[in-house]
Amino acid sequence: MKVFSLILVSMCSLLLSGVALGSGADLAACIEQEDIPGGVIVSVGADSIDDAAALSKDGAFLVHALFTDEDKFEKAQSDIAAKSLAGKVTASLFDGTAMPLVDRAVNVLIAGESERIARSELMRVLAPRGVLLRKRKGKWETTRKPVPTTIDDWTHNLYNAGNTAVSDDREAGALRHMQWTGGPAFSRSHDGNSSFIAMVSAGGRLFYLMDEGSTAFLSLPSKWNLVARDGFNGKVLWRRALDQPMLMHVGGIKNSTASLGHRLVAQEDAVYVTLGYNAPVTALDSRTGEVLWTNEGTINAQELILLDGTLYCVINLSTDNIAKDPFHSTDSFRRTAAATIPRKLVALNAKTGTLLWEKTPPKILPLSLTAGDSGLFLHDGSAIVCMDPKRGDERWRSEPIEFYGKLQQYSGVNVVLKDGVLLYACGTAYPHKSRDHESDWKNTITALDAKTGKLLWRAPHRQDGIFVTPDLLVADGLVWHAPIDSGHSSGYYQGLDLKTGKVVRDLQPEKRGQMPHHRCYRNRATERFLFTGWTGVNTFDVKSGEWDHNYWLRGACRYGVMPANGLLFNTPSVCTCFIT
């Protein structure tokens, strides 16, 4: 089936002068009119690099000039060196027909009136939301490429406010080619805390929290940054240093709390984040990184979800959870029994940051905050509670639902809202302490009717996590679970009916060696593929039951990988275990 999309065409009113393309100032004004704050510009048919130099002046854009004339190309290379434009402007020679670029890599494509490249070829290399500037009778015709319905954002740590960890992206799947790479190539050290803790995507942009300190010597200070990149070509759009470290970098690789990944949420025009371990919630302009608002009443916020213009925040009220200096160990924080920590829930207007309401339940189990059309949900230590998102009033309370009594902050429970069903699971988060995975807790999947709280079904959960919560991935209408937490696990996936819990599919994998334990991060998925960290990036097709084992690729400990924008985003890792 073919999908047809509307392509918007307009005319930039600026009359241009100069050589083949026009003055750089005029082009910059035209690009600004199209509201593209940064990225990659490609110009085709220029006589020199003068326009490219002007467009790259403020560093927002990387400009690549394509030449068909070899003499002009060689002159451009000499000028780039002479004018110290390396890293800002590049040039290459091409045949005038086939663009030497990967699909969807360009934010602005400039083509002179004399160029005869096929329109389909120009649109191929243009990224969604990108603009083609093509000169027609002395004016620039601007064409904006639409966003395909087959790709998707990833706005929360687990995709959306419902914690599904499953997107509607129909292009992210089996690995085909490299789209782009961006440094650093590795996290800081396997002997310290993971450098990469959160990543989301909205509006074609990528946002992540990372310690970009020295990889040569772990004892050097951390450099925690919030970084924005273009999702289709990797161009850094802006970088903001955090007001305080997110966690002390010296310590064990697992010495962090599971809620760190839930401190970053994005939508097309704004990013919501805590700019430090104990920092309050701040909203930033997603285009520029400029602060929109900060709510000082949200100091020590640990979890954020966004739904229908309201930002819900879980705030840790314990004074023992305050990092007193940049080298304060977080080991004591993560080892604290999760149910003993006092927390409150606040609702903020996402546009202004003003407080709408707040509630202080008896407990809020870590990672239990979930929301959707059916309501706002959390586990208060005894049961699942449904609340009115607008006022915070209780709508219903489930029957008592247990959690692992030794649950600590390096893990949490899993509450997922999907198609009117609320799923719950709680694991031990450390099953490989014994080879047979026997412990004092039997992990179970519990399904509730999201409107009434009525129990729908229960079933044994076949998976536990390594320092993370076990999955509740709903793909192709089924709840998928499998023992994939160690090298001794079978990888035998079952798909359970979402409404009844009955086994619908049994998919036995081929026998294949795996590393001793899962890679210590949450698995993520699309409606077709599950991207697991069983050994590398092990991709499971829920329709065919086939595995694609990519041992050479693995995500950062505690975060992993993210499917979005038709791509699979891998994060800098330090682990080389079981590389072949």
Side-chain angles (χ1 to χ4, degrees):
M1 181 181 75
K2 294 183 179 180
V3 178
F4 295 90
S5 301
L6 176 66
I7 297 179
L8 301 178
V9 178
S10 61
M11 297 295 291
C12 181
S13 60
L14 295 170
L15 293 175
L16 301 177
S17 60
V19 290
L21 291 181
S23 75
D26 286 343
L27 282 170
C30 206
I31 292 169
E32 183 177 0
Q33 181 177 307
E34 293 299 322
D35 194 30
I36 299 176
V40 172
I41 297 175
V42 171
S43 66
V44 184
D47 287 336
S48 70
I49 63 160
D50 292 344
D51 289 342
L55 292 172
S56 70
K57 191 173 182 180
D58 64 359
F61 291 98
L62 173 65
V63 187
H64 186 64
L66 291 175
F67 295 87
T68 55
D69 184 285
E70 190 168 354
D71 291 337
K72 292 179 180 178
F73 165 62
E74 291 179 355
K75 175 69 163 53
Q77 286 187 311
S78 299
D79 288 345
I80 289 171
K83 298 178 180 181
S84 301
L85 293 173
K88 298 179 180 179
V89 177
T90 58
S92 63
L93 196 63
F94 84 121
D95 63 7
T97 302
M99 302 281 284
L101 298 163
V102 71
D103 294 359
R104 298 177 178 172
V106 182
N107 303 107
V108 180
L109 182 54
I110 304 169
E113 195 161 9
S114 62
E115 295 305 318
R116 295 293 180 262
I117 303 172
R119 182 184 180 85
S120 60
E121 178 66 1
L122 295 172
M123 298 306 291
R124 176 187 69 80
V125 303
L126 202 61
R129 303 178 185 85
V131 170
L132 169 63
L133 291 172
R134 202 165 194 181
K135 197 174 182 183
R136 293 285 188 246
K137 297 180 181 179
K139 293 183 178 181
W140 287 110
E141 179 184 271
T142 64
T143 304
R144 186 174 292 274
K145 186 171 181 177
V147 179
T149 59
T150 51
I151 66 174
D152 199 3
D153 290 339
W154 191 283
T155 60
H156 292 64
N157 186 49
L158 297 175
Y159 176 60
N160 59 7
N163 292 336
T164 62
V166 179
S167 83
D168 293 325
D169 200 307
R170 283 168 277 160
E171 295 189 29
L175 305 183
R176 300 181 299 276
H177 64 81
M178 192 79 74
Q179 179 78 6
W180 59 265
T181 61
F186 301 100
S187 300
R188 294 195 66 182
S189 174
H190 196 278
D191 295 329
N193 272 315
S194 181
S195 305
F196 201 103
I197 59 172
M199 179 166 64
V200 294
S201 180
R205 302 185 187 101
L206 205 62
F207 309 95
Y208 58 88
L209 290 166
M210 186 176 183
D211 178 4
E212 297 183 304
S214 171
T215 58
F217 188 45
L218 183 60
S219 294
L220 290 175
S222 60
K223 294 181 180 179
W224 282 99
N225 290 310
L226 172 60
V227 183
R229 289 182 183 266
D230 185 278
F232 295 95
N233 53 52
K235 171 70 171 67
V236 173
L237 303 176
W238 50 266
R239 175 182 275 105
R240 181 185 178 88
L242 299 196
D243 297 336
Q244 56 182 253
M246 191 57 75
L247 76 162
M248 198 271 282
H249 56 289
V250 179
I253 189 72
K254 313 300 188 302
N255 282 5
S256 62
T257 60
S259 63
L260 289 177
H262 295 255
R263 294 165 175 253
L264 179 65
V265 172
Q267 57 183 3
E268 187 154 355
D269 60 350
V271 181
Y272 306 93
V273 65
T274 65
L275 295 172
Y277 187 78
N278 300 121
V281 177
T282 294
L284 306 172
D285 186 314
S286 65
R287 299 167 68 260
T288 64
E290 295 178 358
V291 173
L292 301 175
W293 55 258
T294 298
N295 186 309
E296 297 295 343
T298 58
I299 288 174
N300 219 11
Q302 291 189 315
E303 300 174 37
L304 312 177
I305 61 172
L306 178 67
L307 182 70
D308 297 335
T310 300
L311 188 69
Y312 301 96
C313 316
V314 174
I315 299 176
N316 189 325
L317 301 176
S318 172
T319 56
D320 295 331
N321 198 68
I322 303 297
K324 297 178 175 59
D325 59 72
F327 288 90
H328 189 122
S329 173
T330 56
D331 189 60
S332 60
F333 301 158
R334 76 180 183 105
R335 291 293 185 185
T336 305
T340 65
I341 299 171
R343 296 180 173 92
K344 71 176 180 179
L345 176 63
V346 303
L348 306 178
N349 182 307
K351 187 173 183 180
T352 64
T354 55
L355 178 68
L356 300 177
W357 55 261
E358 66 177 70
K359 299 288 181 180
T360 308
K363 293 180 176 63
I364 302 177
L365 294 188
L367 312 190
S368 67
L369 181 64
T370 309
D373 293 340
S374 305
L376 182 68
F377 307 90
L378 56 81
H379 194 304
D380 72 351
S382 62
I384 300 288
V385 178
C386 176
M387 308 168 70
D388 182 342
K390 294 188 180 298
R391 297 182 298 275
D393 298 333
E394 185 175 311
R395 287 179 175 174
W396 56 253
R397 172 180 294 271
S398 73
E399 64 180 51
I401 296 179
E402 293 184 311
F403 65 95
Y404 182 51
K406 299 178 183 178
L407 184 69
Q408 298 176 353
Q409 284 205 96
Y410 61 74
S411 182
V413 299
N414 196 359
V415 181
V416 170
L417 179 62
K418 179 72 173 180
D419 296 339
V421 176
L422 198 68
L423 299 171
Y424 167 84
C426 177
T428 67
Y430 197 64
H432 72 301
K433 59 190 175 186
S434 60
R435 286 299 185 187
D436 58 5
H437 293 190
E438 289 296 328
S439 70
D440 53 358
W441 173 256
K442 297 297 182 183
N443 191 12
T444 302
I445 303 173
T446 299
L448 306 177
D449 185 307
K451 289 185 177 180
T452 66
K454 178 183 177 181
L455 177 67
L456 298 178
W457 54 269
R458 278 197 175 98
H461 199 314
R462 307 174 70 194
Q463 177 199 350
D464 209 338
I466 304 295
F467 289 97
V468 293
T469 306
D471 293 333
L472 287 172
L473 300 175
V474 184
D476 199 27
L478 303 177
V479 183
W480 293 94
H481 66 146
I484 56 171
D485 39 87
S486 85
H488 298 267
S489 300
S490 68
Y492 183 11
Y493 260 110
Q494 281 188 337
L496 310 181
D497 185 275
L498 178 61
K499 304 291 185 180
T500 67
K502 293 181 179 179
V503 177
V504 177
R505 292 183 204 163
D506 267 312
L507 299 173
Q508 179 71 42
E510 76 276 18
K511 295 294 183 182
R512 191 158 183 170
Q514 306 291 340
M515 72 171 284
H517 66 79
H518 188 283
R519 292 197 176 275
C520 311
Y521 56 73
R522 293 293 297 271
N523 301 310
R524 294 173 173 82
T526 66
E527 285 288 341
R528 175 70 182 271
F529 297 98
L530 311 185
F531 301 100
T532 78
W534 192 7
T535 292
V537 175
N538 306 74
T539 304
F540 180 74
D541 187 329
V542 300
K543 291 186 179 293
S544 68
E546 295 180 355
W547 283 92
D548 180 23
H549 298 285
N550 299 280
Y551 292 158
W552 56 277
L553 189 70
R554 67 281 316 276
C557 295
R558 304 294 284 171
Y559 182 80
V561 300
M562 180 186 75
N565 304 309
L567 304 167
L568 183 68
F569 293 92
N570 190 56
T571 50
S573 175
V574 291
C575 183
T576 57
C577 307
F578 212 94
I579 196 69
T580 59

